[in-house]
């Protein structure tokens, strides 16, 4: 009886074991991995993130002048963190945020839109290579 009263009294003044979610955000699990964030100001456009990404959730489209544009698909991303580990500018150009993908963010990049983008990226790379080859050929060809 005394033990029960002691336990009841202790529990009365102990913090609750349950979480106050959603008013209080849940603590992040250990090794939490959030969305991939990118800052082009620090990117050296080495393409390592694109090459290492298992599902192809990062793509760079190329312009003829050699400049590149980053694209990311939160719907495809499996949050493995490989891109961040490979990035020579990790933490500045690429990092995993504290935020997770929201349905709205995923809805922003439906499969059809990404499929079209993949095609566009492939074509942009081919166009760049063809452009460079033509430039090289023009330099090598002696003018009259
Ligand atoms: S976390 Fe993994 S799946 Fe997501 S973009 Fe980076 S390499 Fe790709
Ligand atoms: S790995 Fe990093 S520096 Fe290289 S292209 Fe990707 S974000 Fe840019």
């Amino acid at each position: 009886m005394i033990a029960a009263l002691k336990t009841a009294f202790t529990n009365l003044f102990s913090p609750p074991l349950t979480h106050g979610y959603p008013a209080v955000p849940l603590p992040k699990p250990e090794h939490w991995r959030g969305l991939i964030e990118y800052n082009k100001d620090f990117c050296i456009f080495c393409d390592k993130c694109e090459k290492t990404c298992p599902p192809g959730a990062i793509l760079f489209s190329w312009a003829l002048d050699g400049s590149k544009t980053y694209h990311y698909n939160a719907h495809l991303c499996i949050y493995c963190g490989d891109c961040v580990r490979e990035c020579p500018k990790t933490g500045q150009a690429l990092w995993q945020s504290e935020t997770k993908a929201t349905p709205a963010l995923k809805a922003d990049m439906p499969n059809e839109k990404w499929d079209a983008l993949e095609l566009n990226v492939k074509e942009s790379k081919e166009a760049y290579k063809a452009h460079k080859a033509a430039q090289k050929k023009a330099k090598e060809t002696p003018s009259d």
Side-chain angles (χ1 to χ4, degrees), residues 45-111:
F45 300 98
C46 62
D47 299 347
K48 283 188 175 178
C49 53
E50 182 188 47
K51 285 177 187 150
T52 200
C53 179
I58 292 178
L59 292 174
F60 282 97
S61 49
W62 293 24
L64 291 186
D65 64 1
S67 61
K68 299 176 188 177
T69 305
Y70 170 89
H71 308 278
Y72 170 60
N73 187 343
H75 197 67
L76 266 186
C77 181
I78 56 173
Y79 306 97
C80 61
D82 282 356
C83 53
V84 174
R85 281 188 287 277
E86 283 295 316
C87 178
K89 295 284 182 180
T90 187
Q92 293 178 301
L94 208 66
W95 67 96
Q96 286 197 274
S97 77
E98 290 292 300
T99 322
K100 63 179 179 180
T102 60
L105 181 70
K106 289 188 172 185
D108 189 43
M109 186 56 81
N111 285 342

Side-chain angles (χ1 to χ4, degrees), residues 11 16 22 29 38 41 43 46 78 81 96 102 117 119:
N11 287 344
Y38 171 76
D41 294 342
C43 181
C46 62
I78 56 173
Q96 286 197 274
T102 60
L117 184 69
L119 193 62

Side-chain angles (χ1 to χ4, degrees), residues 15-19:
L17 289 176
T18 52
H19 293 291

